Amino acid sequence: MATALFTHADGLDHVTPEGHPERVARLEHLLHALAGLDLVREAAPEAEDAQLRLCHPQRYIDRIRAGVPASGQVQLDADTWLSPGSFRAASRAAGAAVAAVDAVLEGRVANAFCAMRPPGHHAETETPMGFCLFGNVAIAAKHALEAHGLSRVAVVDFDVHHGNGTQDLLWNEARTLFIGSHQMPLWPGTGRPDERGAHDNVLNLPLAPGSGGAEMRAAWAPAISRLRAFEPELLIISAGFDAHQDDPLAQLEWSVEDFRWITRELCKMARDVCGGRVVSCLEGGYDLAALSASGKAHVEVLMEAGA
């Protein structure tokens, strides 16, 4: 079996203002780092509105589509922008996650990584925020449940910022378990341990500024035991690489080896519990060198697990 890479050049057409951290160069640098790897390369399709509606109402989808400018850029909030190519890029980011779920659950590949932008884990039900337009991993989880008839899907998030959107979109979904580590305090200010979901299906792992790999591993070890006990039939990862010590937007001190460690531990759990079925989607990571090195390490572990 092999590891698939879902991506598309449309991800380069979501253009943010000069100096914005979520920029075109992120995807360019990551794809360059992955260029020499033996991956099954797939074009990310655009998501259908029906797939987006698994998490977002049609009026929200229509509002984002209608807000796309003919030229230039439109600001949605302090951090989130639309350019002429933004809806198509965001649709392919969600579509990549859905197509990756199909490929993994149908047994065409062992696991998959979706290298697309904009990211998705801050997008709430009707609120774009934090660079994000659609909740890619939550949409993928709901697709696995509804289209493939799964009973339990786990979503994990190791981005440095709390996945408030994923938490919002899956809060009432008893068939999912959402576990995420993140720096606290830090924007968006959510992710307290007492935020547990409507069905005790949320587990937040806040990490103190300045903490590094040792603290991360101590937090994730029991969380992975919780994952095993949940017995998911599919694992979906929000793979943000902004907990790296060189990232400019936060103050965690992870190294490339820490991203390799957490990926390996998650893949071991998936191997033992759900036949190694893993779909990973790019979230944050704003130092280009750190993003490239950490993202490559993450994908290399996926390849080892899928071999």
Side-chain angles (χ1 to χ4, degrees):
M1 295 288 280
T3 295
L5 172 66
F6 284 83
T7 190
H8 197 281
D10 282 353
L12 304 173
D13 291 338
H14 170 61
V15 180
T16 54
E18 185 71 26
H20 195 286
E22 207 297 282
R23 58 204 191 276
V24 172
R26 296 182 64 238
L27 184 55
E28 291 175 331
H29 279 67
L30 179 57
L31 292 178
H32 179 75
L34 302 180
L37 300 183
D38 185 17
L39 298 162
V40 176
R41 296 172 189 273
E42 300 281 355
E46 292 188 59
E48 301 171 3
D49 278 15
Q51 293 167 339
L52 299 177
R53 284 198 303 269
L54 291 168
C55 287
H56 304 286
Q58 188 66 46
R59 62 179 174 269
Y60 173 75
I61 300 166
D62 293 342
R63 176 160 61 91
I64 298 299
R65 182 183 278 119
V68 170
S71 62
Q73 293 149 348
V74 172
Q75 189 170 14
L76 298 180
D77 68 6
D79 304 306
T80 312
W81 295 75
L82 292 176
S83 71
S86 293
F87 187 90
R88 191 169 58 252
S91 176
R92 289 196 190 277
V98 168
V101 166
D102 290 341
V104 169
L105 292 182
E106 291 166 9
R108 290 184 275 123
V109 294
N111 53 42
F113 180 66
C114 301
M116 285 298 296
R117 54 179 292 280
H121 73 148
H122 295 309
E124 297 184 343
T125 305
E126 295 194 62
T127 306
M129 60 186 293
F131 316 155
C132 303
L133 301 178
F134 299 124
N136 304 326
V137 297
I139 291 167
K142 294 293 286 289
H143 176 73
L145 294 167
E146 302 302 334
H148 292 274
L150 299 194
S151 300
R152 294 175 307 282
V153 175
V155 178
V156 301
D157 186 334
F158 51 74
D159 192 279
V160 80
H161 301 93
H162 178 242
N164 61 293
T166 305
Q167 177 171 290
D168 174 59
L169 296 170
L170 298 181
W171 185 267
N172 293 304
E173 180 49 77
R175 296 171 293 176
T176 62
L177 173 64
F178 173 57
I179 301 180
S181 65
H182 48 275
Q183 180 180 317
M184 182 174 279
L186 188 66
W187 187 93
T190 52
R192 300 186 313 273
D194 62 353
E195 298 168 16
R196 298 179 58 181
H199 305 279
D200 195 26
N201 57 318
V202 171
L203 175 61
N204 286 309
L205 308 171
L207 301 169
S211 61
E215 292 86 353
M216 176 273 286
R217 296 175 195 219
W220 271 101
I224 291 172
S225 295
R226 171 85 180 269
L227 279 172
R228 287 181 179 274
F230 180 66
E231 296 184 338
E233 297 163 292
L234 172 69
L235 175 67
I236 302 176
I237 301 175
S238 268
F241 301 103
D242 40 4
H244 191 281
Q245 58 196 357
D246 293 337
D247 197 89
L249 298 191
Q251 297 82 40
L252 292 188
E253 298 290 331
W254 295 19
S255 68
V256 170
E257 290 308 308
D258 292 321
F259 290 105
R260 196 183 299 276
W261 179 88
I262 193 169
T263 307
R264 187 169 287 124
E265 292 301 307
L266 290 170
C267 285
K268 287 178 183 176
M269 184 285 302
R271 177 198 64 198
D272 295 342
V273 175
C274 57
R277 300 194 294 192
V278 176
V279 170
S280 177
C281 298
L282 176 65
E283 299 287 359
Y286 305 102
D287 179 90
L288 297 179
L291 168 63
S292 299
S294 302
K296 182 180 181 183
H298 176 71
V299 173
E300 286 173 339
V301 175
L302 291 177
M303 294 173 66
E304 293 168 7

